[in-house]
Amino acid sequence: MADPPPSPSGLKLDHVEINLETRRLVTLDRRIAPGDVLTVMGDSGSGKSSLLDFIAGFLDPAFRATGQVWLDGTEITTLPPQERKVGLMFQAPLLFPHMSVGENLLFGLNKIKGRDNGQRRAIAEDALRDVGLAGFFDRDPATLSGGQQTRVALMRLLLAEPGALLLDEPFSSLDQTRRADLRNLVFSKAREQGLPVLLVTHDPDDAEAAGGDVVRL
């Protein structure tokens, strides 16, 4: 049985290595403390997204990975994706088009037991108000701007109560002003909730805004 990581809190990447055929893409041994951000930078094809896929449990079988992932003292590498308690944000918000804005948030809350429909709706409306989208519960996601959709996607993710955030260039499709606002929002929410964050990006401005350590692949 593997020994636990030195510190039980946060996200620990324990001697993680990812290879594609004979090419080594990623070698990483780091712990991300609650509320901290580790930024991984590199060009396309360098293995950034593959690292996130490995942590979340979606790594393509074409890749070979070794090492372990620990979250708050639990080794999650062998768990199915739905049991790992990691939240993923992608370049596109990926809101459900057949659901209203509020229903998208309720989807995140569906994983939390012990709340009736009225309580869940109130929580969703509070979340929208918290990101400047009060009154948007019944809106069609297609009527929202890119920045507004990203805000909804973030709150849907946080309402599912993840133990860590994995960010796959979620700001890349936004203009500079919206990008800065959304970066500040995401990182401040992560700090508020004490979530370790792993950000992959090719943009040095993202890394600077994150404020934590940077690893280059």
Side-chain angles (χ1 to χ4, degrees), residues 134-155:
F136 278 57
F137 190 96
D138 295 316
R139 287 276 294 272
D140 183 339
T143 66
L144 273 56
S145 69
Q148 289 171 332
Q149 290 184 18
T150 302
R151 289 171 183 266
V152 175
L154 170 64
M155 297 314 293

Side-chain angles (χ1 to χ4, degrees), residues 1-212:
M1 181 179 295
D3 293 330
S7 176
S9 61
L11 181 67
K12 168 68 175 173
L13 307 179
D14 188 9
H15 295 91
V16 169
E17 184 176 305
I18 301 175
N19 298 272
L20 179 60
E21 297 178 342
T22 60
R23 181 185 174 202
R24 182 177 296 172
L25 299 176
V26 176
T27 302
L28 197 58
D29 187 54
R30 287 292 188 107
R31 185 180 76 88
I32 310 171
D36 285 353
V37 182
L38 175 65
T39 299
V40 176
M41 301 188 68
D43 297 329
S44 297
S46 62
K48 303 188 306 298
S49 294
S50 298
L51 174 62
L52 298 188
D53 290 342
F54 174 64
I55 296 169
F58 301 116
L59 186 64
D60 190 302
F63 296 86
R64 182 170 51 87
T66 57
Q68 297 174 319
V69 180
W70 298 77
L71 181 59
D72 293 332
T74 299
E75 202 270 307
I76 66 172
T77 321
T78 58
L79 296 178
Q82 68 272 16
E83 295 180 14
R84 296 193 181 198
K85 293 193 68 178
V86 294
L88 275 162
M89 280 190 72
F90 299 97
Q91 296 178 25
L94 301 179
L95 299 179
F96 299 117
H98 63 289
M99 295 181 179
S100 71
V101 167
E103 287 169 342
N104 267 274
L105 296 190
L106 293 179
F107 180 85
L109 281 167
N110 279 340
K111 299 181 180 180
I112 312 302
K113 300 183 185 300
R115 292 169 176 158
D116 61 32
N117 289 340
Q119 291 173 320
R120 290 167 61 247
R121 167 129 190 176
I123 292 169
E125 290 181 333
D126 284 344
L128 289 172
R129 189 176 301 110
D130 194 29
V131 292
L133 297 176
F136 278 57
F137 190 96
D138 295 316
R139 287 276 294 272
D140 183 339
T143 66
L144 273 56
S145 69
Q148 289 171 332
Q149 290 184 18
T150 302
R151 289 171 183 266
V152 175
L154 170 64
M155 297 314 293
R156 181 180 64 184
L157 190 61
L158 294 179
L159 288 177
E161 298 185 356
L165 291 184
L166 308 179
L167 308 180
D168 191 357
E169 304 199 52
F171 318 114
S172 61
S173 63
L174 304 173
D175 62 43
Q176 284 300 108
T177 301
R178 289 196 182 100
R179 189 169 187 149
D181 290 343
L182 263 296
R183 277 193 302 238
N184 292 336
L185 176 65
V186 170
F187 298 138
S188 66
K189 289 295 181 187
R191 285 191 296 269
E192 285 175 14
Q193 299 194 17
L195 298 176
V197 179
L198 180 59
L199 166 70
V200 301
T201 183
H202 63 274
D203 188 334
D205 289 341
D206 287 350
E208 183 177 355

